[in-house]
Amino acid sequence: MSEDGAEFKVDALRVQPGRRLGGQVRLTAGADPMTVSRTRIQVNCRNPTDRYDELGSANHLIYLDETVAADTRVRDSGSVLIPFRIRIPWATALTESRGKPIYPVTMDIRLIAERADRPALGQIQRLRVVPLPGQLAVLNAAVALGAEPKTSSLFAGGQIFELPGLSGRTGSAKRLALTTTEHTLAVSWYELGGPTVDSIELTHDQAATEPWPDRLGEWFTRRPSPPLPPLPPDPAP
């Protein structure tokens, strides 16, 4: 006896932030008719740490949760095809660069077929997210300076990278944050536990041609300003 099922295919499993991704869902009914109340596509990211960083960032984010069909009825032993087209969010975390994984982030795309009277059906596929040209230029510059960027944490607007390899040369642990929108890439750096030391926001075209080795080199050798002295106590009444 055949069983109910749900599966999907997409145009590509290697994508860049902000790019369109097309695909097709196939819903299949077993011996009885089936109604799927809602068919959803999710894009999920997980950074398998069990801590929150100093910005309060979580280790798991759902970047996209889009309904692609509702109230779909499938006759017994039949199937229904549902085409869809989604946009990978601009702030989606990167999972690899220069052909190497950016440890330890993983990304997946999920199909969830909800049914009112029975458990949901679904499928999960691993998604590889590679940098936009500007993001790649920043990460390549960090590598050229002796670092191998590693994800520290995720936040709603982007991704924070540890830069192992720089601490011994510059005397402190550096963090590099990439915040990506439809029109701009913002790059900022700070020292672990400290405020942002410097940042710049550029269009994507500008970011792709910015001399990042020079800029990051200047940033990372600069000492952060010392904290302001504490305020004097209030005078006695």
Side-chain angles (χ1 to χ4, degrees), residues 177-180 184-188 200-202:
L178 303 184
T179 306
T180 309
T184 62
L185 173 65
V187 183
S188 55
I200 185 172
E201 185 174 26
L202 302 170

Side-chain angles (χ1 to χ4, degrees), residues 114-133:
E114 299 176 357
R115 302 182 293 178
D117 55 343
R118 282 173 282 181
L121 301 170
Q123 185 184 10
I124 299 175
Q125 297 187 51
R126 182 64 57 86
L127 194 64
R128 299 162 58 200
V129 184
V130 298
L132 295 164

Side-chain angles (χ1 to χ4, degrees), residues 153-172:
S153 58
L154 311 172
F155 61 101
Q159 194 167 3
I160 297 174
F161 297 92
E162 298 177 13
L163 299 172
L166 286 179
S167 298
R169 295 168 49 200
T170 60
S172 56

Side-chain angles (χ1 to χ4, degrees), residues 7-13 22-26 84 123 125:
E7 59 183 3
F8 73 112
K9 294 181 179 180
V10 292
D11 297 339
L13 290 171
Q24 183 173 263
V25 173
R26 179 187 294 272
F84 66 87
Q123 185 184 10
Q125 297 187 51

Side-chain angles (χ1 to χ4, degrees), residues 6-220:
E7 59 183 3
F8 73 112
K9 294 181 179 180
V10 292
D11 297 339
L13 290 171
R14 185 178 183 271
V15 297
Q16 290 177 309
R19 300 306 188 234
R20 295 283 186 180
L21 182 64
Q24 183 173 263
V25 173
R26 179 187 294 272
L27 302 176
T28 304
D32 298 315
M34 177 179 71
T35 298
V36 175
S37 56
R38 194 160 61 128
T39 303
R40 298 156 48 205
I41 297 293
Q42 279 189 353
V43 174
N44 291 266
C45 182
R46 183 168 296 279
N47 182 24
T49 65
D50 52 4
R51 65 178 177 85
Y52 284 71
D53 78 349
E54 61 273 14
L55 297 182
S57 306
N59 65 3
H60 175 244
L61 288 175
I62 297 175
Y63 284 104
L64 179 76
D65 190 343
E66 189 166 316
T67 298
V68 297
D71 296 325
T72 305
R73 293 170 172 79
V74 187
R75 62 179 176 80
D76 54 290
S77 302
S79 63
V80 170
L81 299 179
I82 303 170
F84 66 87
R85 192 165 180 81
I86 61 173
R87 183 188 290 278
I88 301 299
W90 289 95
T92 300
L94 307 175
T95 65
E96 66 177 73
S97 178
R98 299 171 295 112
K100 298 179 180 179
I102 299 176
Y103 179 83
V105 163
T106 58
M107 184 80 64
D108 63 58
I109 182 169
R110 304 183 182 201
L111 164 65
I112 303 170
E114 299 176 357
R115 302 182 293 178
D117 55 343
R118 282 173 282 181
L121 301 170
Q123 185 184 10
I124 299 175
Q125 297 187 51
R126 182 64 57 86
L127 194 64
R128 299 162 58 200
V129 184
V130 298
L132 295 164
Q135 295 172 322
L136 180 61
V138 174
L139 296 176
N140 282 347
V143 172
L145 291 170
E148 190 65 39
K150 170 184 173 183
T151 299
S152 169
S153 58
L154 311 172
F155 61 101
Q159 194 167 3
I160 297 174
F161 297 92
E162 298 177 13
L163 299 172
L166 286 179
S167 298
R169 295 168 49 200
T170 60
S172 56
K174 301 293 191 288
R175 296 290 187 272
L176 187 69
L178 303 184
T179 306
T180 309
T181 70
E182 180 178 358
H183 302 291
T184 62
L185 173 65
V187 183
S188 55
W189 83 273
Y190 63 98
E191 297 197 343
L192 184 61
T196 298
V197 177
D198 211 336
S199 64
I200 185 172
E201 185 174 26
L202 302 170
T203 67
H204 290 293
D205 287 342
Q206 291 171 333
T209 57
E210 177 73 9
W212 291 111
D214 293 340
R215 181 175 293 278
L216 296 189
E218 190 274 328
W219 279 2
F220 295 156

